[in-house]
Amino acid sequence: MTDFTQIRLDKADGIATLTLYRPEKMNAFTGTMMNEICAALDDTDADDSVRAVIVTGHGERAFCAGADLTPEGGGHVFSDPNPVSDLSDERVRDGGGRLTLRLFNSKKPLIGACNGVAVGVGATMQLPFDIRLASDNARFGFVFARRGIVPEACSSWFLPRAVGLQTALEWCMTGRIFDAQEALDRGLVRSVHPQAELMDAARAIAREIADNTSAVSVSMTRAMLWRLAATEHPMMAHWIDSRSIYRLSRSADAKEGIASFLEKRAPVYPDTVSGDMPDFYPWWDEPGYA
């Protein structure tokens, strides 16, 4: 963690806070930032003391101002500079997509606290967050058509699921910047807060998760809702629901959940994500890039 140069990762009382940290560039996105966020998620996934992760940007101006259009040392901005003939080559892969796929596979809930400008990848990287909050000065923009490219970071999959197809098409085809109130009205964020209150609101949600829920239950729930909502028939959800209830109903966490309720006390769940996920997890085959 001490080797991070473009993010900060802090942990306290069951909550990890991941801060995008490039003050001189409004937290603009780079390949280094992508790799560091992915490494931070590897850390939080492996740390059973972490129950929720808050992602925010440094300062009060920007969450992330998009891809760094003037990277140090020059170079290609939107993709790998090396020419390739085979588009299945790993070097073709979009860095924003690598990041959102890693966020999608997080074993811990992700809470976004958008503290200012969020355009391009600064907006699309937030789409795999489970809960998104914004400050009242936040601004969003899916600006790709105004830069001569297309939506990236798997946002053609994530964005319509968050806000509906019509809104996703409008925002991406116009590339216009819109404010936090429109983001709230269209369902991109769940709430808008004064800048000074944003992190407290995010921590309150994280605290609710950390203090009252089973880590295994939350991790399974996250995977089930993200993955099963996109399947072609509810029977596919029934397969996983049934297996999950059967296994988890026999767990130490289920015993504690019932006992703490009947005894009218706070629960102390013993099971861990690292050691006690159901034996059929993961139930999916992770596709590779092709």
Side-chain angles (χ1 to χ4, degrees), residues 238-253:
H238 183 55
W239 294 342
I240 304 305
D241 295 349
S242 299
R243 287 161 169 77
S244 299
I245 291 293
Y246 186 85
R247 284 290 191 245
L248 295 186
S249 67
R250 290 158 170 77
S251 70
D253 275 6

Side-chain angles (χ1 to χ4, degrees), residues 24-249:
E24 74 288 357
K25 290 286 189 85
M26 294 179 69
N27 306 322
F29 183 78
T30 69
T32 296
M33 180 180 285
M34 175 200 72
N35 289 327
E36 291 187 357
I37 296 172
C38 291
L41 290 172
D42 290 344
D43 181 284
T44 56
D45 271 1
D47 187 344
D48 287 322
S49 73
V50 173
R51 295 297 321 282
V53 181
I54 298 171
V55 185
T56 192
H58 174 77
E60 297 185 353
R61 295 179 59 204
F63 174 80
C64 172
D68 189 343
L69 300 182
T70 57
E72 293 180 7
H76 215 252
V77 174
F78 295 123
S79 63
D80 191 286
N82 298 296
V84 299
S85 57
D86 180 1
L87 292 179
S88 66
D89 191 304
E90 280 285 317
R91 290 173 293 178
V92 173
R93 292 186 63 185
D94 159 49
R98 290 177 185 268
L99 174 59
T100 55
L101 287 169
R102 181 62 188 87
L103 292 163
F104 178 69
N105 282 318
S106 173
K107 294 179 180 178
K108 307 296 173 69
L110 304 175
I111 300 168
C114 182
N115 56 304
V117 172
V119 297
V121 69
T124 56
M125 76 163 70
Q126 297 185 55
L127 298 177
F129 297 167
D130 305 297
I131 303 168
R132 294 178 292 275
L133 295 74
S135 59
D136 51 12
N137 69 320
R139 298 292 183 271
F140 299 87
F142 298 90
V143 298
F144 311 101
R146 298 191 180 202
R147 304 291 181 268
I149 56 171
V150 296
E152 37 64 88
C154 311
S155 54
S156 57
W157 191 91
F158 285 109
L159 186 58
R161 283 168 170 75
V163 301
L165 183 58
Q166 180 172 253
T167 294
L169 284 166
E170 177 193 339
W171 283 349
C172 291
M173 290 193 299
T174 65
R176 65 179 175 82
I177 305 297
F178 55 94
D179 63 15
Q181 186 59 52
E182 181 171 343
L184 177 64
D185 292 343
R186 301 287 187 98
L188 183 62
V189 300
R190 56 85 73 181
S191 54
V192 175
H193 307 267
Q195 178 73 244
E197 300 173 13
L198 176 64
M199 288 302 294
D200 285 344
R203 289 189 193 99
I205 297 171
R207 186 84 271 136
E208 185 78 13
I209 294 169
D211 291 348
N212 299 293
T213 66
S214 154
V216 172
S217 295
V218 169
S219 190
M220 281 295 293
T221 297
R222 184 181 196 275
M224 290 166 67
L225 291 179
W226 271 113
R227 292 178 179 279
L228 298 175
T231 55
E232 63 193 37
H233 193 282
M235 177 57 79
M236 297 175 183
H238 183 55
W239 294 342
I240 304 305
D241 295 349
S242 299
R243 287 161 169 77
S244 299
I245 291 293
Y246 186 85
R247 284 290 191 245
L248 295 186
S249 67

